[in-house]
Amino acid sequence: MISRGATRAAYDTVAADYAALLPDASFEAPDDVALIDRFLDLLPSGARVVDAGCGAGRMLRLMHDRRPDLRTAGIDLSPRMIEQARAGCPIADLAVGDLGELPLPERSAAGLLAWYSVIHATPDELAVIAAEFARVSMPGGLVLLGFQSGSGTRRIERAYGHDVSLDAVLHEPRDVAATFAALGFEVLEQFERPARDGERHAQGFVLARREVSPRDPTAAAGG
């Protein structure tokens, strides 16, 4: 299991203000939301989709609004974030958990969204998370990741009106894609978009599908 003590403490601290400042997906760039729509459009009716690192639940609400037929679940490292999500997103199954050790059975998810939830993971930690996503993904299941693009680490000492202690890690889309491809995912999209006003970095995205095993030729059919 990946140690996340400082990350958990920081997000517990900012949870209420985070939820108030980012209540929905209106901050997202239109192209980013369009990518989430493409991800959702590929999921079969009634599928289980998991927001891995759901925070206060804003992307869960977006997914429910777009595809109310899906069975949504959210997992976050921060108990305070999960409290905020429970208050604002009662339609989802929610649990506290680490992305490196998800509280989910094998092959139980038709879709996994990691929307800026790997931004504190080193490359080695990202490899652990990717392996865990592979474990819980159904054959033919999808993963979508959004993250800050680049290389290196920067220190965050102030966030959402609070003093915190966090390291933010940048990832190159090609490296993230290669990590998932090595685990049997077909990379459907991999790209970087330029930073918008107010963003320090370009943004990276990877959409991939879990390979259908020759021994199990049935693609994800709803979790």
Side-chain angles (χ1 to χ4, degrees):
M1 180 174 177
I2 297 169
S3 176
R4 289 278 190 247
T7 304
R8 180 186 293 107
Y11 280 98
D12 277 350
T13 297
V14 307
D17 289 298
Y18 177 100
L21 289 167
L22 294 173
D24 53 35
S26 59
F27 174 78
E28 309 306 313
D31 286 348
D32 300 357
V33 175
L35 175 60
I36 294 173
D37 283 338
R38 293 199 294 278
F39 164 73
L40 294 174
D41 286 346
L42 291 170
L43 294 172
S45 179
R48 173 183 286 177
V49 59
V50 179
D51 187 347
C54 65
R58 66 195 187 96
M59 305 315 290
L60 285 167
R61 290 190 289 276
L62 173 69
M63 290 194 292
H64 178 72
D65 289 345
R66 293 291 209 263
R67 287 284 308 273
D69 62 294
L70 297 176
R71 294 181 290 135
T72 51
I75 296 166
D76 200 88
L77 184 67
S78 162
R80 297 291 179 265
M81 283 290 193
I82 288 294
E83 287 178 6
Q84 294 294 326
R86 286 194 174 115
C89 194
I91 43 81
D93 294 326
L94 299 165
V96 176
D98 192 299
L99 299 194
E101 193 173 344
L102 293 169
L104 297 169
E106 291 184 9
R107 298 185 171 195
S108 62
L112 285 156
L113 176 70
W115 201 247
Y116 294 89
S117 56
V118 300
I119 60 174
H120 306 295
T122 66
D124 286 345
E125 291 169 340
L126 179 62
V128 173
I129 291 169
E132 187 67 351
F133 283 17
R135 181 185 70 82
V136 304
S137 292
M138 300 178 67
L142 299 163
V143 297
L144 173 60
L145 298 96
F147 46 90
Q148 281 98 27
S149 182
S151 60
T153 302
R154 66 182 177 89
R155 192 69 174 166
I156 301 174
E157 296 180 337
R158 188 77 179 167
Y160 305 103
H162 297 270
D163 294 329
V164 297
S165 180
L166 280 173
D167 287 326
V169 183
L170 306 179
H171 298 282
E172 295 283 359
R174 64 177 179 271
D175 295 335
V176 176
T179 297
F180 279 85
L183 291 165
F185 284 86
E186 175 193 4
V187 177
L188 304 178
E189 297 191 44
Q190 150 198 344
F191 63 93
E192 179 182 274
R193 71 157 173 80
R196 297 182 292 163
D197 290 345
E199 293 177 338
R200 293 189 181 188
H201 305 282
Q203 309 299 304
F205 305 93
V206 171
L207 174 63
R209 177 186 286 120
R210 186 77 165 103
E211 190 174 85
V212 177
S213 166
R215 292 173 298 173
D216 186 356
T218 304

